[in-house]
Amino acid sequence: MATKLVLRRIKKDAYDRIMKEGYIDEFKREELGVGETWDVLARILAHGFMESPQTHALAIMGGRYISGPPGVSTKLLSPDEVAEASELLNVILDRTIEGRHRLLDFTGAQGGDADGTPTISVEDCIRAFRCLRKFYAKAEIHGEAMILLFTTVTSSVEEER
């Protein structure tokens, strides 16, 4: 089994209601392009420093846990956190992703082998990064918040078996 990341942009009024009443399944747009690459991508964006979500990995590792759908780990980022995450993503270049993909240790990561090498290609990481950056940029422009849903799915490797 693997964990997949689904991002949902939510309007400010929906964010306010979530803060007041708890999780509601009301969103403006959904992004599935990060998917199973999220753990490797977060490590790349954090430059390996996973203990601190206030790095370029804020877009994946930040926010506060809230109660969400059963069996789904759910995090919420405020409009201000979304704007901060968007700005942090804007300073990362594709070649940064490439270099960190080559150099970092991915031991223990979903998408990492026991020897620390990534099983997710650099091309997939760059594609996922571009989806992430674009999704956050649009949310920032509209003053939106973000819900991150970490769901357990059958991994593509398990599907091949």
Side-chain angles (χ1 to χ4, degrees), residues 75-112:
K75 294 176 94 176
L76 178 66
L77 279 83
S78 71
D80 289 340
E81 290 171 315
V82 168
E84 181 182 356
S86 180
E87 296 302 317
L88 289 167
L89 292 172
N90 280 330
V91 300
I92 299 285
L93 304 173
D94 289 358
R95 69 176 177 249
T96 304
I97 304 292
E98 291 171 2
R100 292 178 184 177
H101 185 274
R102 190 174 49 255
L103 297 174
L104 288 175
D105 181 359
F106 295 97
T107 303
Q110 174 179 293

Side-chain angles (χ1 to χ4, degrees), residues 51-152:
E51 310 77 39
S52 175
Q54 300 303 322
T55 63
H56 295 92
L58 175 65
I60 298 172
M61 303 305 295
R64 71 179 62 146
Y65 284 101
I66 61 169
S67 260
V72 177
S73 181
T74 307
K75 294 176 94 176
L76 178 66
L77 279 83
S78 71
D80 289 340
E81 290 171 315
V82 168
E84 181 182 356
S86 180
E87 296 302 317
L88 289 167
L89 292 172
N90 280 330
V91 300
I92 299 285
L93 304 173
D94 289 358
R95 69 176 177 249
T96 304
I97 304 292
E98 291 171 2
R100 292 178 184 177
H101 185 274
R102 190 174 49 255
L103 297 174
L104 288 175
D105 181 359
F106 295 97
T107 303
Q110 174 179 293
D113 271 338
D115 68 356
T117 59
T119 58
I120 296 172
S121 72
V122 68
E123 293 81 13
D124 285 344
C125 288
I126 290 171
R127 179 200 47 77
F129 169 69
R130 289 176 179 169
C131 288
L132 183 72
R133 181 173 54 196
K134 183 177 179 181
F135 202 65
Y136 268 87
K138 287 184 178 182
E140 178 186 19
I141 288 167
H142 296 285
E144 297 167 341
M146 193 78 67
I147 291 179
L148 287 67
L149 302 163
F150 295 88
T151 61
T152 302

